[in-house]
Amino acid sequence: MFSARDTIHVDADVATVFEFMDDPHNHAAVTPRLTDVRDVEPLENGGKRLSFTYRMAGMGIDGELVQTVHEPNERMAFEMRGRLEGTITLEFEPDGDGTALTYAAEYDLPENALTSLGEPVVRRFNERQLRATLENVAERFTLEGD
């Protein structure tokens, strides 16, 4: 099981950042290597279920995300199903004039990704991808404010 967690300041209020991240298509816009989001359907808890494709180690990995927690302006949690299994949690907190956005992920990787690249390489890769996602969200709002 791999885990990664990081936080970034976003120059927008909590409600705006939550609304942006509540649209699964925006995840594809800010998450490196997330190449497709499809079959989005609403859930009774306010969350969504969707299918995705993520590119890693030269291969497309298809899966499903189910939003298990949808607490407006506070927290989202997703269960990843398929070849990538685990959880993703996004937390939103007021931070001065903006938002502290925390992204935490715990997941198991397909065995062939580990064996072809090695666990330390895969761990660093995924930590960089998580950080890049946060930076892309922050940049999205910095550019809008300019």
Side-chain angles (χ1 to χ4, degrees):
M1 177 79 53
F2 288 88
S3 63
R5 180 181 181 91
D6 204 347
T7 302
I8 198 164
H9 175 84
V10 180
D11 288 330
D13 64 85
V14 168
T16 301
V17 177
F18 186 93
E19 181 180 341
F20 177 81
M21 296 305 293
D22 199 30
D23 180 344
H25 297 287
N26 288 336
H27 288 261
V30 297
T31 305
R33 301 187 184 266
L34 181 60
T35 59
D36 189 28
V37 170
R38 61 193 174 281
D39 305 326
V40 177
E41 61 182 71
L43 299 174
E44 287 184 22
N45 68 358
K48 292 146 189 86
R49 174 189 319 268
L50 59 102
S51 298
F52 68 89
T53 302
Y54 186 80
R55 296 214 38 93
M56 182 189 322
M59 62 184 161
I61 300 172
D62 290 324
E64 179 183 57
L65 275 179
V66 177
Q67 195 169 10
T68 56
V69 175
H70 185 267
E71 298 170 356
N73 303 330
E74 292 180 23
R75 187 169 171 255
M76 298 177 185
F78 303 87
E79 189 177 295
M80 257 188 308
R81 300 174 181 166
R83 292 185 59 209
L84 287 174
E85 292 191 357
T87 59
I88 297 171
T89 304
L90 300 173
E91 297 172 346
F92 306 79
E93 296 181 40
D95 184 30
D97 60 350
T99 300
L101 174 60
T102 299
Y103 187 131
E106 290 188 356
Y107 47 89
D108 289 319
L109 294 174
E111 193 60 35
N112 57 352
L114 287 176
T115 54
S116 67
L117 295 175
E119 187 174 324
V121 172
V122 172
R123 183 179 308 279
R124 283 192 305 275
F125 170 82
N126 285 297
E127 288 170 350
R128 286 193 308 269
Q129 294 301 300
L130 185 144
R131 184 65 191 175
T133 298
L134 287 172
E135 289 173 352
N136 289 342
V137 173
E139 183 178 308
R140 181 71 56 131
F141 288 97
T142 299
L143 294 175
E144 287 181 6
D146 290 343

